[in-house]
Amino acid sequence: MIIQFCGLSGSGKTTLAKKVKKHFDATPINIEIIDGDEYRNNLCKDLGFSKEDRHTNIRRLAFVAGKLAKYKVVPIICAISPYEEIRKEIATSYPDVKTIFIKCSLAELIHRDTKGMYAKALLPDGHADKIKNLTGVNDPFEIPESPDLTIETDEESPEESAQKLIDFIEKNAKANL
């Protein structure tokens, strides 16, 4: 099984994946986190933020996930993955891909602003520090049409969100072990 997250920056993708991995470290289910930020700094640092580059980034992350899944590792791809087209491509290119929407309101993301990116994206046009391609603000994010699971990190505690994902993995991974 491959889990592909999709959700805006700051929605809690990596935090959630780390909580879930910690839970499964003491079980036979082996989880590996493929963190979009970490991979962008290493494997994908040649890519920008055009739609084409974002697709290439997701394809690379999915390729790594596919290799891990062959060895009974459950990879969690923690990336924004803003386009339904590439999410569907990944779901049809690899066996047993589950799409999980990490949902959080824009108002809450602006409040959290864990990386300071929303403040920069909301600066006036022409400001030297303005970010022009922040997904969900001034770059598109397509809500998934039919995710396998939706986790609402602005409505649930981190523990509730983690438990939802733990239950989902336990239910779906047993067939693959």
Side-chain angles (χ1 to χ4, degrees):
M1 175 170 59
I2 295 172
I3 295 174
Q4 66 171 339
F5 281 176
C6 61
L8 296 174
S9 180
S11 61
K13 296 178 297 295
T14 301
T15 300
L16 177 60
K18 286 179 180 178
K19 281 187 171 299
V20 169
K21 180 175 178 14
K22 185 176 181 182
H23 168 83
F24 282 110
D25 280 346
T27 76
I29 297 174
N30 190 3
I31 303 290
E32 184 63 38
I33 299 169
I34 301 174
D35 183 88
D37 290 340
E38 182 182 331
Y39 276 70
R40 265 208 182 262
N41 289 331
N42 294 288
L43 184 65
C44 304
K45 63 181 165 185
D46 61 315
L47 300 173
F49 292 93
S50 68
K51 185 174 184 178
E52 182 180 311
D53 280 357
R54 288 177 189 263
H55 282 2
T56 299
N57 183 55
I58 297 301
R59 284 185 189 105
R60 288 180 188 177
L61 301 181
F63 176 80
V64 172
K67 293 295 183 188
L68 291 169
K70 285 183 180 181
Y71 296 97
K72 307 296 184 196
V73 174
V74 178
I76 301 175
I77 303 171
C78 296
I80 293 170
S81 194
Y83 300 106
E84 183 71 4
E85 165 188 358
I86 192 67
R87 293 189 297 256
K88 285 182 176 179
E89 178 185 314
I90 299 310
T92 59
S93 297
Y94 298 91
D96 201 19
V97 175
K98 305 296 185 192
T99 300
I100 300 181
F101 179 28
I102 309 302
K103 183 178 179 183
C104 188
S105 70
L106 187 56
E108 178 61 21
L109 294 171
I110 290 168
H111 172 74
R112 290 179 188 175
D113 207 3
T114 54
K115 299 174 187 173
M117 293 170 44
Y118 289 96
K120 288 181 180 179
L122 295 169
L123 288 169
D125 289 339
H127 193 286
D129 294 330
K130 183 174 179 86
I131 295 175
K132 296 179 179 83
N133 57 356
L134 183 61
T135 304
V137 175
N138 46 24
D139 212 46
F141 180 83
E142 299 170 358
I143 304 294
E145 292 173 8
S146 54
D148 296 289
L149 178 66
T150 297
I151 296 176
E152 299 184 54
T153 61
D154 58 347
E155 302 289 328
E156 306 162 354
S157 71
E159 292 74 24
E160 289 171 317
S161 294
Q163 192 60 53
K164 269 186 162 176
L165 184 55
I166 289 165
D167 293 345
F168 180 86
I169 291 170
E170 286 176 342
K171 177 183 171 194
N172 288 282
K174 291 197 191 288
N176 297 315
L177 294 176

